[in-house]
Amino acid sequence: MNERNANRVGQVKEVTSLANPLIKDIKSLSLKKFRDQQNAFIAEGLKLVIDALDLGWTIKTLIFSKSGLGNPAVEKTAARTVAAGATVLEVSEKVLSAITRRDNPQMVVGVFSQRLLPIKSVRPQGEDVWIGLDRVRDPGNLGTIIRTADAVGAKGIILIGDTTDPYSLETVRATMGSIFAVPIARVSVEAFLEWRKGFDGLVAGTHLKGAVDYRSVKFGGRPTLLLMGNEQQGLPDELAGSCDGLLRIPQAGRADSLNLAVATGVMLFEIRRDALALSGEA
Ligand code: SAM
C-alpha cells in the first residue's frame, strides 16, 4: 500500500511528543512572525489538502492522526506528499489539537508554502474582476471575501497597506479552501497607486458617502477593480481619489453601514450580474 511505500523511504515519522522540534516548528505557525520566517502556513482538512495538491501548491509537511491509518484517501495523499519530497508525520490527536488549537481537530493538516503574487504580474484583462482591500483587519472578513471572490469567479485580491495576514489559521479556515484558488497580491498604498496608473479598466470604490447608486453603473465590457475600505475608517482620501467613481449601496433601517464582507459580496454579485446581462447570458 502507498503508506508502506512512504514508510519504506523513511519519510513517514511517528510523533507523539509536543516537544518534538518538528511539531514545535509547525505549532509556531500560529504566529505571523514564524509564518513569515518559514514562508509557510497551515491548512486543515483532507479535502483542502487534496485540492491544494491538485492546484499545484507546494506542500512542506503532511500531518495526519492515527485514525487516518487505513484510510485510502489519506494514504494516497501521504504518498503524493512523499513523492513531492516533503515530510509526512503520523501524530497523536493531542498533537493535532495543539497544532490546530482545536479540541476536535481534522484528521489531516497540511503545511504549505505561501504564494503571494508580485503586483506587476496583476494585469487584468477582458472582464476580469479584481478586489482591492484597504487595511482589512478582521481575519473572518478577509477569509469570507476570499471565499466569495472564488464563488463569483473574481480573478484575485490586492491587499493594500497594513492588512491582516491571509495565511493566519483563522483566515485560511474562513476561506473554506478558496485560499488555494484565489491569487493574492500585497502592496503598500504607494505601490498600489503606482500600479493603478497603468490600469485602464474601471476602479470602482465603495463609500458610505458615495455619490453613485451601485445599481446604476455599467460594469461589463472592461476589467473592474472593486475597492473596499477599512472596517473602521472606510477608504482614506488618497485611495478614494484614485477611483473612477465612489459607489453607495443604499440602506434602510438604522445600521450605519454594512459589514465589509457583506458589502463586498453585494458588489461582486452585482458586477457579475451586470456583466452577464451585457453578454446576454443572464
Ligand atoms: N465607519 C466606516 C466608514 O465610515 O466608512 C464603515 C466602514 S464599512 C464597515 C467597511 C467598508 O464596507 C466601507 O469602507 C465600504 O467599502 C463598504 N461599505 C459598507 N457599507 C456600505 C454601503 N452602504 N455602501 C457602500 N459601501 C459600503
Side-chain angles (χ1 to χ4, degrees), residues 39 41 52 55-58 113-117 167 179-180 182-185:
N39 188 39
F41 69 103
L55 287 168
W57 284 68
T58 303
S113 296
Q114 297 187 11
R115 193 193 274 179
L116 287 173
L117 272 186
Y167 294 116
I179 188 73
F180 296 113
V182 178
I184 297 176

Side-chain angles (χ1 to χ4, degrees), residues 70-146:
N71 176 323
V74 173
E75 294 188 354
K76 188 171 173 208
T77 307
R80 285 179 79 180
T81 304
V82 170
T87 308
V88 181
L89 302 178
E90 180 197 321
V91 302
S92 59
E93 190 156 325
K94 182 184 76 180
V95 170
L96 259 185
S97 285
I99 289 171
T100 58
R101 299 163 167 254
R102 283 196 162 188
D103 286 341
N104 294 307
Q106 299 261 9
M107 188 168 63
V108 171
V109 165
V111 176
F112 289 88
S113 296
Q114 297 187 11
R115 193 193 274 179
L116 287 173
L117 272 186
I119 187 75
K120 63 177 183 330
S121 68
V122 178
R123 292 194 207 95
Q125 49 196 346
E127 296 194 340
D128 288 356
V129 176
W130 280 76
I131 302 148
L133 297 176
D134 153 47
R135 295 165 300 154
V136 53
R137 303 304 302 174
D138 183 82
N141 276 345
L142 177 55
T144 304
I145 291 170
I146 294 170

Side-chain angles (χ1 to χ4, degrees), residues 206-208 227-235 247-251 256-260 263:
T206 54
H207 204 287
L208 301 186
L227 198 50
M228 305 298 299
N230 164 269
E231 288 98 330
Q232 274 77 44
Q233 292 150 14
L235 282 179
L247 316 187
R248 178 178 36 86
I249 304 168
Q251 297 181 202
D256 289 339
S257 64
L258 292 167
N259 160 276
L260 169 64

Side-chain angles (χ1 to χ4, degrees), residues 141-169:
N141 276 345
L142 177 55
T144 304
I145 291 170
I146 294 170
R147 181 180 177 184
T148 310
D150 184 11
V152 82
K155 296 294 178 207
I157 294 179
I158 304 173
L159 299 175
I160 306 165
D162 186 15
T163 68
T164 192
D165 184 7
Y167 294 116
S168 71
L169 260 181

